[in-house]
Amino acid sequence: PPAPTAGPVRRLPRHLLPLRYDLELWPRVRPGQAGPFSFRGQVNITVLCRQDTDEAVLHSAGLRSRGAAVRGPLLGPGAAVEVAGLRQEEEDEVVVLELRGRLRAGRRYVLQLGFQGLLEEDLVGLFLTRYTDRGRSSMLIASQMEPTYARRVYPCFDEPAMKATFNIRIVHDPSYVALSNMPAIDVSEMKDENGSLWTVTTFNTSLKMSTYLTAFVVCDFDYVTRTERGNKIRIWARKEAIGNGCLDYALNIIGPIFSFMEDVLNVSYPLPKTDLVALPEFGAGGMENWGLMTFQEPSLMYLPSAKFTSRKAMIALILSHELGHQACEQTKDVLRYFFFPFQWFGNLVTMNWWNDLWLSEGLASYFEYLGAIFVDPKLSLDKIFYDHVVQPVLREDSEIVRSLSESEDKIKGSFSLTSLFDSITYNKGASITWMLSGFLTEKLFIRALTSYLKEFSFSNANQDDLWTHIQMVIDAQDEVKLPASVKQIMDSWTCQNGFPVLTLNLTTGTIIQEEFLNQKNRRSTDHNNNTWIIPISWMRNGSSQPLMWLDKSSKVFPEMQVLQSEYDWILLNVNISGYYRVNYDQLNLKRLAHVLENDPKAIPAVSRFQLIDDVFALTQFGYVQIETALELTKYLAREDELFIWNMVLLHLVPENLESTLKNYEVYPLLKKYLIKRMLPIYHYYAGFIDRNVDALEDDYFAQVYLEKLFATACWLGLQDCLALSSELYAKWMDNPEYKIPFLIRGTVCCYGVAVGSDKEWNFAWEMYTHTDSTENDKDILLSAMSCAKESWLLYRYLQYGLSDILFSSNCTSSVILNVMAKDIGHRMAWEFVTENWPLLSERYGHELVHDVMKVMGRFVNTDIQIQELQVFYNATLEEDEREATTLLLESTKSENTERRKLLIKIASWLEKNVDD
């Protein structure tokens, strides 16, 4: 989301209710002009007075008034209420019309306000963007109103529950086209005070909607179009992108996703048209404005020739997400694939206020994955959902101190509002929805959603309204039995911070729940003893068992007592049916490890991922020892799922530690242990790279994670990997037209340079400076050149970095940080920074200092090293920053000391198990 505004969120009094806006916007922009630019406008808001008042209060921020009047009460001939004064309260972002008379309850009035504002390039409110199309510089105007930026464009009642209809017209230069939420119904001409000609585009009256969904684009774009069930769909983009076919994929899937959402929810899309605009610059992945959705270009564009990219799946996700909003304006409006669900969740039914934002974003994020799988059935829904949604948010949720549904009084200011657009809202919201759909069954869940959408269409709701509709569906059938009301169950997940960890004792069949906290927080007395009402899907010896519920802090499940065979095992939370982690006693863990080694497929792939990831997370938080987690990695030679390998490697070889791990005795042991287990999966994929790389086009996880597997294999010194990198890099050197397989291009370039000499490095430099290189190629080569193993090449690279002729200024810091992150480069880069600080400081200032601190921090192990860094920071930082830096360095040293202890334990375990 865009940068937050300052100041508190002032809720408006409920004396006046907006019914209709008649809004004219006139951006004073002509092609080729230099600026600065402004816009002016007029808004007439028809309101219903609900309580006598002598003032009208509405939102306005950063706008200058051009006059105000109040007409009414309506139906009276020419009646008016005189405006005594207009008071702008900038801090609260409101404007107050002080009246000489009173507005009377039950009567209608029209507030008439003229205004003007500046058109900035800040990506919020109404903003200007400069871009290049077919070699020519151009400008466009677009808008981003969510959450509270509509008030920067026109005075309004800028709260989600204050819905109204909108009659919009835009005055613009004749060479541009204007778009808004509804179809254009008239295009005419007018002259300004100087006799210059402008075009006036008038749009049809909108449906009843919230101000944050109003949208405006004025541009010189082309479009591609199709019609789906009477809904005219156009995708607008730069002419060059349209000509290259970059929007064809998005156009082909958008109609089917629309139809899928309509069919699943049994609620028709209520607008006659949908425009999607690919903006060269945009602050969010996408925005679900009703009828006029806006996106960053990468969210919609896919080059037909780019076979090896996961972008197709990303586009399907983003589109599904935003379309989900279109039907649910009730629920409100990131990985932002679900724009289509938003058309139902967020737009049709909108949350009452922002504290229930998850109703819109979480539901849309859940449906985005359903929509993406519908478009591309080859994608594995449960694997992608757990890998992209559940696992990342479980990592964050134990550290973030907020619940999914916050009380209004906790949300104090615009910053708090903007900060709600985070992974808790999107990913935890989607994970909780997944769990809810799981224990209800998808059939009952969809039935309840349809009922909820139909009751609250063009209106607002909160989470209790959703719970009520689900309860009604549950009460009307007798297949699904719940241990408590839907509200009691779901409030335990949405109104409490964090999530639980369940511990199973196999001998007694007892399961205990507690909040998942790190050691420090577990020891503190501040945390609440929260309990959740938890659905437990489980498996015994590979057979699925009936769903169980844990509705108190501990409970005995006789069915889970395992006393017979020494090989009987239990697995909880099968296929991520619940939003929690699981801890097992040593007996069950030993049996699960035995299953993995003998018959890994007896445990479903997602559950294998979850089992190992849970144990590593439990290790990190001090619930179990690292040796317990390592026992579960012995089987990996039999693991053929790339997404599981990726997770294991992120735990054992985190990217930010690659450079430091080589300094420890753990490296040769890790090398021997992992290479032995990686060989089967490495050779499987290397075979495709060698013989038929096109066959991997539909392997989603190969597109996303093969690079990490190959990079780790090369980092561990696997000769086959180093030889393959050298061979493919040499092929490229012989024929610069040759394309290194996209999936491993970064690894091949890095190790092609690393294994080579100055000849390989110079070729990378030549390709980097080649005018035809894409930004992606340049990024890969910028990193690859820091992989050189000869010190003089790295030193020369750093020197090149200082030249503003050879590099654009934003690349210099990348050069320094890339070299600094390498095991042989960090010392050299550090000395380079300290020697050249006056020049670097002038260019980058404190931003570079902070980046350097993060990278150098990985190598801080002793007081002397801290002292050396501190001397430098004392000389470069302001006094108030020095203290914070000292604390940061001390904490980094402490973390590194803990890590060293952990690595000693890992090394000790590997010594005993490396030859197994």
Side-chain angles (χ1 to χ4, degrees):
T5 52
V9 171
R10 173 162 166 188
R11 300 297 302 274
L12 297 178
R14 291 304 188 256
H15 300 147
L16 302 176
L17 179 71
L19 303 173
R20 188 182 80 227
Y21 290 79
D22 293 289
L23 171 64
E24 178 183 282
L25 282 178
W26 186 354
R28 311 283 284 206
V29 175
R30 299 282 199 190
Q33 287 183 344
F37 296 106
S38 63
F39 64 92
R40 65 172 64 165
Q42 174 72 35
V43 65
N44 297 340
I45 311 172
T46 303
V47 297
L48 171 65
C49 182
R50 303 167 84 176
Q51 189 179 328
D52 286 11
T53 179
D54 58 4
E55 61 179 24
V57 184
L58 59 164
H59 286 114
S60 175
L63 298 172
R64 213 168 80 218
S65 171
R66 299 180 71 244
V70 177
R71 278 197 303 113
L74 299 184
L75 303 178
V81 179
E82 190 181 344
V83 177
L86 189 138
R87 190 172 77 249
Q88 184 75 49
E89 298 180 2
E90 284 291 348
E91 194 177 322
D92 285 338
E93 300 186 336
V94 298
V95 62
V96 181
L97 276 64
E98 297 166 334
L99 309 173
R100 294 206 192 278
R102 290 179 79 73
L103 306 183
R104 299 294 177 186
R107 302 291 181 85
R108 295 183 180 204
Y109 299 85
V110 179
L111 313 181
Q112 301 178 318
L113 298 110
F115 55 91
Q116 66 185 59
L118 292 176
L119 263 180
E120 309 276 11
E121 296 181 48
D122 56 1
L123 306 182
V124 295
L126 193 67
F127 61 87
L128 185 85
T129 293
R130 299 172 195 274
Y131 65 97
T132 304
D133 192 6
R134 292 177 171 168
R136 290 179 51 221
S137 295
S138 301
M139 293 183 292
L140 66 80
I141 296 150
S143 62
Q144 167 62 26
M145 306 302 203
E146 189 183 35
T148 55
Y149 299 115
R151 64 191 68 175
R152 293 187 176 196
V153 183
Y154 56 98
C156 57
F157 295 86
D158 197 12
E159 294 187 13
M162 301 183 93
K163 292 187 172 186
T165 59
F166 290 80
N167 293 317
I168 291 167
R169 67 180 198 161
I170 299 176
V171 182
H172 56 94
D173 184 88
S175 67
Y176 291 135
V177 65
L179 305 170
S180 188
N181 304 79
M182 299 300 289
I185 52 170
D186 183 62
V187 178
S188 58
E189 291 181 341
M190 64 167 264
K191 290 184 177 175
D192 63 16
E193 60 275 12
N194 301 318
S196 296
L197 204 62
W198 295 82
T199 295
V200 182
T201 302
T202 304
F203 300 91
N204 213 341
T205 304
S206 79
L207 301 173
K208 198 174 167 191
M209 64 183 189
S210 308
T211 49
Y212 80 87
L213 291 168
T214 55
F216 320 100
V217 173
V218 178
C219 64
D220 179 23
F221 275 2
D222 272 353
Y223 66 87
V224 286
T225 184
R226 70 178 285 167
T227 301
E228 182 79 12
R229 296 184 180 176
N231 173 21
K232 186 178 183 183
I233 298 166
R234 296 181 295 184
I235 304 184
W236 299 77
R238 288 178 297 112
K239 294 172 179 176
E240 185 176 13
I242 295 284
N244 291 340
C246 293
L247 284 304
D248 294 353
Y249 177 71
L251 185 69
N252 287 338
I253 66 170
I254 186 172
I257 295 176
F258 253 121
S259 300
F260 169 75
M261 292 302 302
E262 283 191 330
D263 292 344
V264 167
L265 295 169
N266 195 24
V267 177
S268 297
Y269 179 65
L271 300 184
K273 69 93 179 175
T274 303
D275 286 309
L276 298 86
V277 185
L279 297 171
E281 280 190 72
F282 193 50
M287 176 63 205
E288 70 276 9
N289 315 300
W290 221 354
L292 177 56
M293 295 185 272
T294 45
F295 299 82
Q296 288 178 355
E297 281 188 343
S299 300
L300 284 183
M301 289 189 183
Y302 175 73
L303 260 177
S305 58
K307 285 183 183 175
F308 292 103
T309 172
S310 54
R311 184 164 288 168
K312 276 167 81 172
M314 186 199 80
I315 291 167
L317 281 172
I318 290 184
L319 285 178
S320 295
H321 185 93
E322 298 308 328
L323 281 181
H325 279 299
Q326 298 297 306
C328 214
E329 194 212 327
Q330 154 185 351
T331 53
K332 186 244 147 267
D333 151 22
V334 197
L335 312 189
R336 307 297 181 286
Y337 296 149
F338 202 8
F339 278 10
F340 290 134
F342 270 132
Q343 307 302 304
W344 282 257
F345 303 100
N347 299 6
L348 185 62
V349 182
T350 312
M351 67 272 148
N352 275 327
W353 203 55
W354 299 103
N355 59 312
D356 271 333
L357 177 64
W358 84 269
L359 272 181
S360 167
E361 300 294 348
L363 284 169
S365 294
Y366 168 75
F367 275 96
E368 91 187 35
Y369 285 86
L370 297 190
I373 301 303
F374 172 76
V375 167
D376 188 353
K378 292 185 293 291
L379 295 172
S380 171
L381 175 61
D382 56 348
K383 293 175 188 174
I384 291 176
F385 193 80
Y386 194 77
D387 185 79
H388 288 10
V389 179
V390 185
Q391 191 227 19
V393 75
L394 282 173
R395 293 186 164 286
E396 287 184 47
D397 196 9
S398 45
E399 305 288 350
I400 294 174
V401 189
R402 87 167 181 83
S403 60
L404 194 53
S405 178
E406 286 290 4
S407 61
E408 284 192 34
D409 57 5
K410 275 197 182 174
I411 299 170
K412 299 295 186 192
S414 287
F415 177 77
S416 299
L417 270 192
T418 312
S419 67
L420 291 176
F421 291 79
D422 64 359
S423 67
I424 296 294
T425 292
Y426 287 88
N427 291 352
K428 184 173 182 177
S431 303
I432 297 299
T433 305
W434 174 284
M435 178 174 71
L436 174 62
S437 173
F439 71 72
L440 290 176
T441 71
E442 193 172 291
K443 182 179 79 176
L444 295 183
F445 179 54
I446 297 294
R447 191 181 297 166
L449 277 184
T450 302
S451 158
Y452 162 79
L453 288 173
K454 285 182 174 171
E455 174 162 341
F456 293 101
S457 287
F458 308 108
S459 179
N460 297 77
N462 59 32
Q463 69 173 22
D464 281 355
D465 296 313
L466 180 57
W467 307 154
T468 299
H469 278 261
I470 295 173
Q471 191 67 55
M472 282 159 45
V473 166
I474 288 292
D475 293 345
Q477 55 80 59
D478 50 18
E479 284 174 44
V480 174
K481 303 266 193 260
L482 299 179
S485 71
V486 172
K487 177 174 167 56
Q488 284 173 303
I489 294 169
M490 294 311 296
D491 280 0
S492 77
W493 295 97
T494 61
C495 299
Q496 298 186 127
N497 298 350
F499 60 89
V501 54
L502 272 54
T503 303
L504 168 67
N505 182 312
L506 203 62
T507 312
T508 63
T510 306
I511 298 182
I512 298 167
Q513 64 158 299
E514 60 184 306
E515 187 176 353
F516 185 67
L517 296 165
N518 62 32
Q519 275 176 303
K520 182 180 160 196
N521 289 341
R522 281 207 304 282
R523 285 195 296 264
S524 111
T525 52
D526 294 342
H527 72 87
N528 303 316
N529 292 318
N530 292 342
T531 56
W532 288 260
I533 302 177
I534 305 170
I536 303 174
S537 62
W538 64 294
M539 178 182 274
R540 181 175 182 145
N541 299 340
S543 300
S544 292
Q545 304 296 315
L547 185 75
M548 300 284 195
W549 286 89
L550 177 63
D551 52 4
K552 45 193 171 193
S553 57
S554 79
K555 193 171 176 179
V556 176
F557 295 89
E559 305 91 333
M560 295 189 195
Q561 258 182 303
V562 175
L563 300 170
Q564 304 96 314
S565 156
E566 60 179 297
Y567 294 123
D568 277 5
W569 52 274
I570 299 280
L571 188 77
L572 303 185
N573 202 12
V574 178
N575 283 342
I576 56 155
S577 56
Y579 183 72
Y580 52 88
R581 293 199 184 276
V582 179
N583 187 12
Y584 298 101
D585 60 8
Q586 285 300 317
L587 178 62
N588 199 44
L589 276 171
K590 197 172 279 188
R591 292 179 180 186
L592 288 169
H594 181 265
V595 175
L596 287 174
E597 289 179 57
N598 289 283
D599 183 16
K601 296 289 164 88
I603 298 176
V606 169
S607 291
R608 295 198 301 277
F609 181 110
Q610 178 193 350
L611 171 63
I612 299 168
D613 186 56
D614 278 358
V615 177
F616 272 107
L618 288 160
T619 298
Q620 193 184 341
F621 275 42
Y623 287 86
V624 300
Q625 295 300 310
I626 185 65
E627 293 84 353
T628 305
L630 293 170
E631 286 291 334
L632 293 180
T633 66
K634 285 182 174 179
Y635 88 101
L636 282 170
R638 301 188 64 177
E639 183 52 77
D640 58 5
E641 290 279 4
L642 207 46
F643 82 114
I644 295 176
W645 263 104
N646 184 69
M647 174 270 297
V648 172
L649 293 177
L650 288 175
H651 283 299
L652 291 178
V653 191
E655 281 175 30
N656 64 339
L657 289 186
E658 283 187 6
S659 48
T660 53
L661 277 177
K662 285 195 174 179
N663 299 337
Y664 294 102
E665 61 273 30
V666 76
Y667 176 75
L669 296 164
L670 200 56
K671 171 177 176 171
K672 191 173 177 185
Y673 182 80
L674 277 179
I675 281 182
K676 190 189 296 184
R677 286 159 177 79
M678 284 176 83
L679 279 174
I681 194 167
Y682 172 82
H683 284 308
Y684 174 78
Y685 280 105
F688 285 107
I689 298 290
D690 268 345
R691 293 185 294 279
N692 183 18
V693 74
D694 287 358
L696 295 177
E697 186 180 346
D698 292 325
D699 185 335
Y700 174 77
F701 284 118
Q703 294 177 46
V704 183
Y705 294 141
L706 194 59
E707 186 90 72
K708 172 70 178 172
L709 183 83
F710 272 63
T712 307
C714 282
W715 177 79
L716 289 166
L718 177 62
Q719 280 309 312
D720 290 1
C721 184
L722 296 171
L724 179 66
S725 297
S726 275
E727 179 194 327
L728 296 179
Y729 193 79
K731 217 168 169 181
W732 187 33
M733 287 175 69
D734 291 342
N735 173 18
E737 296 302 307
Y738 168 71
K739 295 281 184 206
I740 296 169
F742 178 84
L743 303 182
I744 57 166
R745 192 178 297 166
T747 300
V748 169
C749 290
C750 174
Y751 286 94
V753 168
V755 174
S757 62
D758 57 334
K759 184 176 149 198
E760 282 73 16
W761 196 97
N762 291 338
F763 178 76
W765 175 254
E766 189 188 327
M767 290 294 102
Y768 178 82
T769 52
H770 204 280
T771 49
D772 291 343
S773 291
T774 65
E775 280 307 307
N776 190 46
D777 289 339
K778 283 183 181 289
D779 288 344
I780 285 171
L781 290 166
L782 200 63
S783 172
M785 288 185 283
S786 69
C787 297
K789 293 299 180 201
E790 296 186 47
S791 301
W792 71 273
L793 283 172
L794 289 178
Y795 186 73
R796 185 179 72 179
Y797 188 32
L798 289 167
Q799 291 294 340
Y800 282 5
L802 278 183
S803 163
D804 48 13
I805 298 161
L806 297 175
F807 277 113
S808 64
S809 61
N810 61 332
C811 291
T812 304
S813 62
S814 297
V815 170
I816 293 168
L817 295 169
N818 282 337
V819 174
M820 191 171 274
K822 299 295 185 291
D823 49 341
I824 66 162
H826 80 272
R827 191 74 223 165
M828 185 190 305
W830 169 249
E831 286 167 4
F832 179 81
V833 167
T834 53
E835 285 165 16
N836 294 283
W837 183 248
L839 178 57
L840 293 169
S841 168
E842 193 182 311
R843 286 195 201 167
Y844 308 106
H846 290 173
E847 195 179 331
L848 181 62
V849 170
H850 292 137
D851 289 343
V852 165
M853 195 188 310
K854 270 188 276 189
V855 179
M856 284 303 291
R858 299 174 200 165
F859 302 91
V860 173
N861 293 309
T862 65
D863 291 334
I864 291 170
Q865 287 170 323
I866 284 192
Q867 223 172 340
E868 184 188 1
L869 290 175
Q870 194 64 59
V871 167
F872 172 67
Y873 291 128
N874 285 348
T876 54
L877 294 177
E878 300 297 325
E879 196 169 337
D880 58 335
E881 291 184 287
R882 289 178 203 160
E883 194 177 334
T885 307
T886 306
L887 290 171
L888 184 63
L889 287 170
E890 284 292 348
S891 113
T892 305
K893 178 196 161 192
S894 161
E895 279 171 29
N896 290 349
T897 305
E898 286 304 310
R899 188 179 300 115
R900 198 156 63 242
K901 287 180 194 166
L902 181 68
L903 291 175
I904 289 167
K905 280 187 179 183
I906 293 173
S908 170
W909 184 89
L910 286 171
E911 283 228 67
K912 295 177 197 134
N913 294 277
V914 75
D915 294 319
D916 280 5

